[in-house]
């Protein structure tokens, strides 16, 4: 039997079409940037389109061709965004470097990627001289600024504005396969060297459509987006593509992430939507409570990177009438995969139940598949109780790492193991109970460090909480709770255990509570348990022989 194909035009799904669309149909919609000195500049999608075209021309003049890696190291700003699109839209690969990583990690990543050109924020200048010695493939450094903001550096460099000044604005874009590499982002490397995730144009385009779903980010031309999540963090959760696709006003905050600065931009620009990790929202909440200020335009926020405590969800919704949606994903998933948007059934349930669902990682966006397995790879039920290894499949999920690092990462059904341990309930809500490497295994049973942390973080004196497992002669491991207190607050071991009593199973109760000055956070704002374990290497449980 002969095949019958549809009579539809075959148009490559490449991200240059996203910015072309934004310029043609939302050209006057504003893009607002704040630089390292706090100064605000304004352009629009038509202006971004012209600047990105000039970047493309300058890259071609520098010998950059399809497949070459072009790195950026900087904060969220319009020049960074122009470098982004100017690179990807000619088929080169945009590689975002995280300036918060250790210099040795940055050097390893740049060298492994084979970056040829580096766009850098002036605030990152001190990182670059040692980087150039370790990453010899980098041929040129362009600082994302004008001549008047150029830092003094001991290596050849040029200001972005000067570099593109004489370039044409009619450089051709596109013309390559939609499966061509588009972006390169490296994992955080908490269990070994960072590994590169190589996005395709097709995967980024499809991810954009997924994020625009009503039960996902639900962005529209009427929104004003404050993009707090860094552009170096897995495509800024895809918003670098979904905002121009929708034609939303885009506000780029630069380096200033303190509560007061975030609040000022929300109010000055009429922000309706924002996205960031929990620590940013905790800082903003503290500012609001200290000053008595309130939002006048903010409608909803997406929190990701780590699970927000219930107290944070309730505070924004109950005190400030801001809807909180939790998003889950990872570098390997482009990144958004599930969101905690309420179903029709959940909206008919009591408010406390709705909040409980908000604390879960949520339901899958259309286009992806999830499953749970046991250690042997057997599928487990979606009953909301049985925890298993969370695996995911779809066109926005990695099939391997750049350079072949890590070997074959897919199982026999083509699913990628996320490294998370999770449950999925009959309504489709997924909840991560732990990272596989972080789960506490006591007496052959699993204890969820994440659940204990979220409850502990609800204590009024606690700023950040972290749970790790420590050796025990009878039970193999037992949990201990580390807490970083809010300035001016106090809490001791007995008070913390009393707060947890009745909220978790008795055998989950931490064997000790340790108050620490600081709980270390990784480069993406997540609790760094690898470093905590190193710091607690000599710790012994009370009552046990050393």
């Amino acid at each position: 039997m002969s095949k019958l194909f549809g009579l539809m035009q075959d148009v490559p799904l490449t991200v240059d079409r996203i910015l072309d669309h934004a310029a043609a149909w939302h050209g006057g919609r504003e893009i607002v940037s704040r630089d390292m000195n706090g100064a605000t500049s304004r352009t629009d999608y038509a202006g971004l389109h012209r600047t990105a075209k000039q970047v493309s021309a300058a890259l071609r003049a520098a010998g950059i061709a399809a497949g070459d890696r072009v790195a950026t190291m900087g904060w969220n700003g319009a020049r960074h965004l122009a470098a982004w699109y100017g690179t990807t839209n000619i088929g080169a690969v945009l590689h975002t470097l995280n300036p918060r990583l250790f210099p040795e990690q940055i050097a390893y990543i740049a060298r492994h990627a084979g970056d040829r050109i580096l766009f850098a924020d002036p605030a990152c200048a001190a990182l670059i001289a040692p980087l150039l010695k370790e990453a010899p493939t980098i041929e040129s450094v362009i600082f994302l600024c004008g001549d008047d903001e150029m830092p003094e550096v001991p290596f050849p460099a040029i200001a972005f504005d000067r570099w593109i000044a004489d370039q044409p604005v009619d450089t051709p874009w596109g013309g390559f396969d939609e499966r061509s590499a588009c972006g390169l982002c490296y994992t955080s490397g908490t269990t070994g060297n960072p590994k590169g995730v190589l996005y395709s144009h097709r995967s980024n385009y499809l991810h954009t459509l997924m994020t625009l779903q009503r039960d996902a980010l639900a962005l529209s031309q009427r929104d004003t987006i404050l993009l707090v999540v860094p552009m170096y963090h897995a495509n800024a959760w895809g918003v670098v593509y979904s905002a121009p696709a929708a034609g939303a006003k885009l506000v780029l905050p630069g380096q200033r992430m303190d509560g007061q600065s975030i609040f000022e931009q929300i109010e000055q620009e009429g922000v309706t939507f924002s996205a960031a990790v929990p620590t940013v929202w905790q800082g903003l909440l503290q500012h609001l409570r200290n000053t008595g200020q309130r939002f006048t335009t903010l409608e909803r926020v997406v929190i990701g990177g780590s699970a927000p405590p219930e107290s944070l969800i309730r505070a924004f919704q109950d005190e400030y009438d801001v809807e909180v949606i939790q998003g889950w994903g990872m570098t390997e998933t482009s990144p958004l995969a599930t969101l905690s948007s309420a179903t029709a059934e959940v909206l008919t349930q009591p408010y406390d139940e709705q909040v409980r669902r908000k604390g879960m990682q949520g339901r899958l966006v259309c286009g992806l598949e999830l499953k749970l397995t046991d250690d042997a790879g057997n599928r487990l039920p979606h009953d909301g109780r049985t925890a298993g290894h969370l695996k995911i499949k779809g066109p926005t999920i990695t099939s391997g790492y750049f350079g072949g690092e890590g070997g074959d990462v897919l199982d026999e059904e083509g699913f990628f193991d996320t490294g998370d341990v999770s449950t999925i309930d009959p309504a489709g809500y997924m909840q991560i109970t732990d990272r596989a490497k972080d789960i506490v295994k006591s007496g052959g049973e699993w204890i969820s460090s994440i659940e204990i942390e979220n409850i502990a973080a609800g204590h009024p004196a606690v700023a950040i909480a972290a749970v790790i497992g420590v050796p025990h002669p009878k039970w193999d491991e037992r949990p201990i709770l580390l807490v970083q207190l809010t300035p001016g607050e106090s809490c001791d071991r007995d008070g913390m255990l009393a707060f947890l009593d009745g909220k978790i199973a008795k055998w989950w109760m931490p064997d000790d509570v340790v108050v620490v000055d600081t709980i270390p956070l990784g480069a993406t704002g997540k609790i760094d348990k690898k470093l905590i374990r190193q710091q607690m290497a000599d710790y012994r449980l009370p009552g046990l022989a050393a």
Side-chain angles (χ1 to χ4, degrees):
M1 182 181 293
S2 62
K3 294 180 180 179
L4 181 65
F5 293 100
L7 300 176
M8 294 291 105
Q9 297 180 22
D10 190 6
V11 177
L13 303 181
T14 53
V15 301
D16 53 286
R17 297 180 182 278
I18 294 175
L19 190 54
D20 282 346
H21 171 81
W25 299 99
H26 307 289
R29 202 69 165 115
E30 266 195 318
I31 300 171
V32 182
S33 294
R34 185 169 54 193
D35 66 18
M36 60 185 294
N37 299 314
T40 296
S41 60
R42 297 177 186 272
T43 184
D44 52 29
Y45 284 117
L48 173 65
H49 189 267
R50 289 191 297 270
T51 305
K53 286 274 188 177
Q54 290 180 292
V55 171
S56 294
L59 287 172
R60 283 195 170 116
I64 297 298
D68 286 337
R69 272 76 70 198
V70 174
T72 65
M73 185 194 297
W75 314 106
N76 295 4
R79 291 185 179 97
H80 192 171
L81 198 57
W84 187 302
Y85 276 101
T87 299
T88 60
N89 291 2
I90 60 171
V93 180
L94 192 284
H95 173 210
T96 48
L97 286 166
N98 182 347
R100 294 190 183 279
L101 293 175
F102 291 115
E104 297 81 10
Q105 290 177 305
I106 297 173
Y108 171 85
I109 291 169
R111 187 169 59 248
H112 188 271
D115 296 326
R116 289 189 56 192
I117 284 181
L118 173 63
F119 292 96
D121 194 295
C124 300
L127 297 172
I128 297 175
L131 171 62
L132 295 178
K133 295 178 182 177
E134 300 295 329
T137 59
I138 298 176
E139 303 164 10
S140 304
V141 177
I142 299 103
F143 281 105
L144 296 167
C145 64
D147 282 336
D148 58 334
E149 299 170 302
M150 276 290 287
E152 293 185 12
V153 290
F155 51 82
I158 189 171
F160 177 89
D161 292 359
R162 177 180 292 275
W163 186 68
I164 66 167
D166 298 325
Q167 299 296 331
V169 297
D170 57 355
T171 303
W173 277 347
F176 41 82
D177 193 300
E178 65 179 18
R179 294 166 297 180
S180 300
C182 180
L184 180 60
C185 187
Y186 279 70
T187 62
S188 56
T190 55
T191 56
N193 284 327
K195 295 186 287 291
V197 178
L198 190 61
Y199 307 113
S200 68
H201 279 262
R202 180 175 184 269
S203 71
N204 280 335
Y205 200 104
L206 292 175
H207 184 266
T208 301
L209 300 182
M210 291 175 181
T211 63
L212 293 176
Q213 294 172 27
R214 180 65 181 88
D215 285 330
L217 302 185
L219 301 177
S220 81
Q221 196 273 346
R222 298 177 297 281
D223 276 310
T224 296
I225 300 170
L226 177 62
L227 186 57
V228 180
V229 60
M231 291 168 64
Y232 56 73
H233 190 189
N235 296 327
W237 298 353
V239 178
V240 289
Y241 299 122
S242 53
K249 177 180 174 180
L250 191 56
V251 182
L252 304 169
Q255 280 183 270
R256 298 191 177 187
M257 300 296 179
D258 61 281
Q260 179 178 340
S261 297
I262 294 294
F263 178 79
E264 287 174 354
Q265 279 209 307
I266 289 173
E267 290 303 300
Q268 289 169 3
E269 302 301 333
V271 169
T272 61
F273 173 94
S274 189
V277 297
T279 49
V280 170
W281 299 120
Q282 287 166 335
L284 178 57
L285 179 61
Q286 184 176 353
H287 170 77
L288 293 172
R289 287 174 169 170
N290 290 343
T291 62
Q293 293 175 306
R294 300 189 64 83
F295 302 116
T296 58
T297 61
L298 188 64
E299 299 171 357
R300 64 196 190 283
V301 298
V302 169
I303 300 180
S306 58
E310 182 178 311
S311 58
L312 184 64
I313 297 172
R314 286 185 179 274
F316 272 94
Q317 296 195 165
D318 298 351
E319 299 175 33
Y320 300 99
D321 197 27
V322 174
E323 181 184 10
V324 174
I325 301 169
Q326 184 176 175
W328 171 83
M330 53 199 306
T331 306
E332 291 91 337
T333 65
S334 293
L336 286 181
T338 68
L339 295 104
S340 65
S341 299
T343 63
E345 179 184 2
V346 168
L347 288 176
T348 67
Q349 296 172 349
Y351 179 66
D352 285 350
E353 175 61 15
Q354 295 182 35
V355 172
R356 187 182 75 84
R357 298 285 189 167
K358 292 282 188 183
M360 303 173 78
Q361 281 63 55
R363 290 164 47 85
L364 199 63
V365 297
C366 181
L368 303 180
E369 299 177 58
L370 277 181
K371 70 175 180 179
L372 300 176
T373 73
D374 60 18
D375 290 341
N378 301 309
R379 285 186 181 247
L380 297 174
H382 296 182
D383 57 13
R385 299 184 304 274
T386 306
H389 298 281
L390 183 68
K391 299 179 180 179
I392 191 166
K393 179 181 180 180
T396 59
I397 312 302
T398 191
S399 62
Y401 292 108
F402 183 62
E405 301 289 329
D408 186 2
V409 300
L410 305 183
D411 69 10
E412 66 281 356
E413 293 181 320
F415 280 79
F416 173 78
D417 190 339
T418 66
D420 288 319
V421 174
S422 310
T423 61
I424 302 175
D425 70 15
Y429 281 84
M430 184 270 289
Q431 183 166 24
I432 293 173
T433 59
D434 229 321
R435 292 290 290 169
K437 65 180 184 294
D438 291 337
I439 203 160
V440 180
K441 296 179 180 179
S442 183
E445 299 290 340
W446 289 354
I447 297 175
S448 170
S449 66
I450 290 176
E451 188 169 342
I452 300 173
E453 289 163 359
N454 286 344
I455 295 171
H459 191 290
V462 175
I464 306 176
V467 170
I468 62 170
V470 296
H472 190 281
K474 179 178 180 181
W475 304 111
D476 295 326
E477 280 189 322
R478 289 297 298 160
I480 64 167
L481 171 63
L482 290 79
V483 294
Q484 175 184 324
L485 300 180
T486 301
E489 298 287 347
S490 63
C491 183
D492 60 14
R493 177 183 185 275
D494 292 342
M496 193 69 241
L497 292 177
F499 179 78
L500 294 175
D501 189 30
K503 298 182 177 71
I504 58 176
K506 289 289 186 184
W507 64 278
W508 279 26
M509 193 66 71
D511 280 19
D512 197 11
V513 177
V514 182
V515 177
V516 297
D517 293 334
T518 303
I519 289 178
L521 302 179
T524 57
K526 297 179 183 179
I527 294 171
D528 190 338
K529 291 195 178 179
K530 181 180 178 182
L531 183 54
I532 290 175
R533 291 189 190 95
Q534 292 173 357
Q535 294 173 345
M536 301 295 289
D538 296 329
Y539 171 86
R540 296 293 181 271
L541 284 168
L544 295 183

